[in-house]
Amino acid sequence: MDVNIISLKDSNRRAVCKSRLISKGYNPIFYDAFDSRNLNEVQLEHIFDFKLFRKTFNYKIDSGIIGCVLSHFNLYKSLLRCENNSKYYIIVEDDCIPLATSSELKNIIDKALISSFDILLLGYSKTDNTQYEVINKMNPFKKLYSSGKFDIGIRYKQSSCGAVAYVVSRSFLENITTSIKKPYYVADEWSFLEKRFKLLILHTSPLCFLEDYNGMPSSLEDGRVTNRSIKIRLPYFIRPIWRSIYSFYVRVMLHIKLIINNKI
């Protein structure tokens, strides 16, 4: 099974990433990432729409974040030019750690195709077991299908959980590359993409891939700064109560969402 890997041309991560993927039965195919490390806004404005970005989102980004989205967007166009007229494509970043084997992922995708998904998120950035438990409590997961030890389903809401590993449909690639000529979003703005293109975004549980954020540290998250002047923090003794109330609320809302979308 082919896996398309976004990686800087001079990255020393490639050998490790290739070895990890081959050990799980994948066929790694590397695509050179767009190197924006030494570019400024003036040099990037002809390929990234800064004006529309600032109008749409309430945070600031640096050239590294822009290079990331341009790398993913350029790969989308490259995949459409390939002779392989596949219904879906697997995309990962070079700091991924595969947990699912190639055969397991193929079965997962086959199950997910029952829903004609647009995007299937396989991994989240900077997520360990403890963080994953928090995510499941605050942003609950509803199983739609099962494949072996993996479940496929939806979450209450989409979040900027990274683009470490995901599957995209060919129809999504055609849609986004024809509708957007100059990107103005961040690669993992899944909530924005879901609303902008009316997408069906599915998730796996447990995750099929992890990010090697300890062995291969990334500074990309430092390049995204939210424009907030005030941050309210609840007292420690109230936080567990608030989390329990919020968790109950989102589970009810997820149930309603599934009813509306005829998923249960």
Side-chain angles (χ1 to χ4, degrees), residues 33-137:
F34 182 85
D35 191 349
S36 59
R37 288 173 290 185
N38 298 314
L39 301 179
N40 56 37
E41 182 171 330
V42 174
Q43 295 168 305
L44 290 167
E45 61 184 1
H46 69 289
I47 51 177
F48 186 85
D49 196 328
F50 287 92
K51 184 177 180 180
L52 190 52
F53 170 81
R54 293 184 178 116
K55 183 179 178 181
T56 308
F57 302 103
N58 186 38
Y59 53 82
K60 299 176 182 179
I61 54 175
D62 64 11
S63 61
I65 294 286
I66 295 171
C68 179
V69 67
L70 290 174
S71 298
H72 284 260
F73 192 76
N74 290 342
L75 176 54
Y76 296 167
K77 293 188 287 187
S78 295
L79 292 174
L80 289 174
R81 290 194 295 267
C82 291
E83 294 182 1
N84 176 17
N85 192 25
S86 177
K87 292 182 179 179
Y88 59 83
Y89 303 91
I90 305 167
I91 297 173
V92 304
E93 295 178 334
D94 61 5
D95 56 355
C96 71
I97 301 175
L99 302 180
T101 64
S102 174
S103 59
E104 286 176 327
L105 185 52
K106 183 181 185 304
N107 291 335
I108 289 168
I109 294 171
D110 288 342
K111 283 284 187 179
L113 285 171
I114 297 173
S115 290
S116 300
F117 71 89
D118 297 293
I119 297 172
L120 172 62
L121 296 180
L122 304 173
Y124 306 153
S125 64
K126 296 177 174 60
T127 301
D128 56 19
N129 290 335
T130 301
Q131 181 64 20
Y132 192 62
E133 289 178 5
V134 174
I135 291 172
N136 284 333
K137 186 173 183 179

Side-chain angles (χ1 to χ4, degrees), residues 12-254:
N12 56 12
R13 298 178 175 183
R14 289 197 174 195
V16 175
C17 181
K18 180 179 180 180
S19 176
R20 286 172 173 172
L21 290 168
I22 290 176
S23 72
K24 294 291 186 178
Y26 296 101
N27 176 39
I29 302 172
F30 285 93
Y31 287 83
D32 293 341
F34 182 85
D35 191 349
S36 59
R37 288 173 290 185
N38 298 314
L39 301 179
N40 56 37
E41 182 171 330
V42 174
Q43 295 168 305
L44 290 167
E45 61 184 1
H46 69 289
I47 51 177
F48 186 85
D49 196 328
F50 287 92
K51 184 177 180 180
L52 190 52
F53 170 81
R54 293 184 178 116
K55 183 179 178 181
T56 308
F57 302 103
N58 186 38
Y59 53 82
K60 299 176 182 179
I61 54 175
D62 64 11
S63 61
I65 294 286
I66 295 171
C68 179
V69 67
L70 290 174
S71 298
H72 284 260
F73 192 76
N74 290 342
L75 176 54
Y76 296 167
K77 293 188 287 187
S78 295
L79 292 174
L80 289 174
R81 290 194 295 267
C82 291
E83 294 182 1
N84 176 17
N85 192 25
S86 177
K87 292 182 179 179
Y88 59 83
Y89 303 91
I90 305 167
I91 297 173
V92 304
E93 295 178 334
D94 61 5
D95 56 355
C96 71
I97 301 175
L99 302 180
T101 64
S102 174
S103 59
E104 286 176 327
L105 185 52
K106 183 181 185 304
N107 291 335
I108 289 168
I109 294 171
D110 288 342
K111 283 284 187 179
L113 285 171
I114 297 173
S115 290
S116 300
F117 71 89
D118 297 293
I119 297 172
L120 172 62
L121 296 180
L122 304 173
Y124 306 153
S125 64
K126 296 177 174 60
T127 301
D128 56 19
N129 290 335
T130 301
Q131 181 64 20
Y132 192 62
E133 289 178 5
V134 174
I135 291 172
N136 284 333
K137 186 173 183 179
M138 306 306 288
N139 188 16
F141 171 90
K142 174 64 178 179
K143 179 180 71 174
L144 300 179
Y145 315 105
S146 290
S147 177
K149 63 183 179 182
F150 295 95
D151 294 330
I152 305 103
I154 65 172
R155 288 199 178 273
Y156 168 63
K157 63 180 180 180
Q158 307 304 332
S159 61
S160 298
C161 56
V164 62
Y166 60 104
V167 183
V168 289
S169 69
R170 185 175 184 87
S171 61
F172 165 70
L173 298 186
E174 292 170 342
N175 196 357
I176 192 171
T177 55
T178 55
S179 301
I180 297 178
K181 299 303 180 183
K182 192 159 67 167
Y184 61 94
Y185 60 93
V186 174
D188 67 345
E189 272 291 352
W190 305 119
S191 178
F192 163 76
L193 292 172
E194 179 185 51
K195 295 172 184 175
R196 171 71 170 77
F197 295 102
K198 295 180 172 56
L199 305 178
L200 174 59
I201 300 180
L202 301 179
H203 300 248
T204 64
S205 181
L207 299 176
C208 297
F209 287 78
L210 296 179
E211 178 190 19
D212 188 2
Y213 60 91
N214 287 319
M216 299 178 177
S218 170
S219 61
L220 282 183
E221 285 305 311
D222 298 331
R224 175 159 44 186
V225 180
T226 304
N227 296 324
R228 290 178 181 170
S229 56
I230 299 175
K231 187 173 182 179
I232 300 174
R233 294 186 67 85
L234 295 172
Y236 282 102
F237 69 92
I238 293 179
R239 291 179 195 176
I241 301 173
W242 164 245
R243 290 193 188 104
S244 296
I245 295 172
Y246 181 78
S247 179
F248 175 76
Y249 165 77
V250 295
R251 288 178 187 282
V252 171
M253 295 305 295
L254 176 58

